[in-house]
Amino acid sequence: MKLVYLSLAAVFGSTTVYSAPSSSGWVAPGPNDVRAPCPMLNTLANHGFLPHDGKGITVNKTIDALGSALNIDANLSTLLFGFAATTNPQPNATFFDLDHLSRHNILEHDASLSRQDAYFGPADVFNEAVFNQTKSFWTGDIIDIQMAANARVVRLLTSNLTNPEYSLSDLGSAFSIGESAAYIGILGDKTSATVPKTWVEYLFENERLPYELGFKRPNDPFTQDDLEDLSLKIINSQHFPESPGKVEKRGDIHCPYGYR
């Protein structure tokens, strides 16, 4: 399958140092803070790696936050920032706010792992019923590629069958694949393609890094190649009905900005 990546690093330039806070700090969002449909980005803001108010996130802040918290390399972080910046309604924006990511069918998409479709209401807040369905397909203590693929497929089919305005663009499909790859590769072991289920559940449900469960910042950087490899493994593990209707099985893989 042809993999399509956008070369945004040259557009947004190199990084300067942005001082990230201690990994142990966590503060819930306040009434004037904004958050995204993305649990990981919300988590990084809650910990203070990203601005706690969720506003004015530049490429340099993105690179430093993702690197400091998760050891995501600078090239991938720059690429992800480029996608996120397209959600800012201001033309040619050089920053984004977390709530910009809630704009439907840009990066935010139907068939989320933890949010309801926009047709049914706000798609930027955690939905327990949706996430209960997702995690019911994580059938062991350790989530592997097959479990991740199964959960994604069921969410796509459920959304397709229940949402009369269901849609999934090529970019949305690509992000959906990559989001599942990301929670395995960033929280877990990218080599074995596994992650403790409790760590993933803890992050989604609390928007907090699972330090107290044993998570530590990975020693090896998470790169575009790692994301591509895990995404392909998920694609190859998916099993759809013969006629899945409007469900997008595949689509070109783009690097996702976290996961939903």
Side-chain angles (χ1 to χ4, degrees):
M1 181 181 188
K2 183 179 179 181
L3 305 182
V4 178
Y5 286 93
L6 303 181
S7 298
L8 295 172
V11 177
F12 292 101
S14 61
T15 180
T16 59
V17 174
Y18 171 76
S19 297
S22 166
S23 61
S24 61
W26 186 90
V27 178
N32 297 318
D33 299 330
V34 298
R35 291 296 182 262
C38 172
M40 179 58 83
L41 292 184
N42 293 345
T43 294
L44 296 184
N46 292 342
H47 280 282
F49 289 103
L50 289 171
H52 192 269
D53 65 3
K55 301 174 184 177
I57 300 171
T58 63
V59 63
N60 291 335
K61 291 180 180 180
T62 301
I63 292 169
D64 199 68
L66 297 184
S68 297
L70 304 170
N71 204 4
I72 296 175
D73 83 350
N75 289 335
L76 179 54
S77 297
T78 301
L79 182 65
L80 301 180
F81 169 81
F83 283 112
T86 66
T87 66
N88 188 331
Q90 176 182 316
N92 303 312
T94 58
F95 72 94
F96 69 96
D97 298 344
L98 289 181
D99 58 346
H100 292 158
L101 297 172
S102 298
R103 298 177 66 199
H104 186 51
N105 273 345
I106 301 178
L107 302 184
E108 186 279 323
H109 56 80
D110 288 338
S112 165
L113 299 177
S114 65
R115 270 66 175 163
Q116 65 183 349
D117 290 358
Y119 174 82
F120 299 110
D124 59 341
V125 294
F126 178 80
N127 184 289
E128 184 176 5
V130 168
F131 190 57
N132 282 344
Q133 182 186 42
T134 296
K135 67 184 184 180
S136 71
F137 287 85
W138 298 336
T139 53
D141 293 336
I142 301 296
I143 301 172
D144 61 17
I145 287 289
Q146 190 61 64
M147 293 181 200
N150 292 345
R152 176 180 183 266
V153 166
V154 168
R155 286 296 306 130
L156 290 170
L157 294 174
T158 299
S159 181
N160 183 48
L161 291 170
T162 60
N163 179 357
E165 296 182 3
Y166 170 82
S167 65
L168 193 63
S169 67
D170 288 343
L171 182 59
S173 179
F175 266 67
S176 175
I177 295 164
E179 288 155 4
S180 291
Y183 71 69
I184 292 177
I186 293 172
L187 288 181
D189 184 338
K190 65 183 182 181
T191 302
S192 65
T194 59
V195 62
K197 179 170 65 174
T198 55
W199 293 11
V200 181
E201 291 175 342
Y202 185 93
L203 183 135
F204 271 91
E205 293 171 348
N206 299 289
E207 297 193 337
R208 186 170 186 159
L209 289 169
Y211 293 121
E212 62 189 60
L213 301 182
F215 170 78
K216 295 180 180 178
R217 178 181 181 271
N219 291 324
D220 295 329
F222 189 77
T223 68
Q224 180 173 314
D225 287 343
D226 295 326
L227 185 58
E228 175 181 325
D229 177 64
L230 291 169
S231 295
L232 278 173
K233 288 178 178 177
I234 287 176
I235 289 169
N236 292 332
S237 298
Q238 294 177 147
H239 303 288
F240 288 86
E242 283 295 318
S243 299
K246 296 177 288 181
V247 172
E248 294 290 338
K249 297 183 182 180
R250 299 193 176 207
D252 292 332
I253 298 175
H254 297 256
C255 297
Y257 201 85
Y259 43 82
R260 293 183 51 239

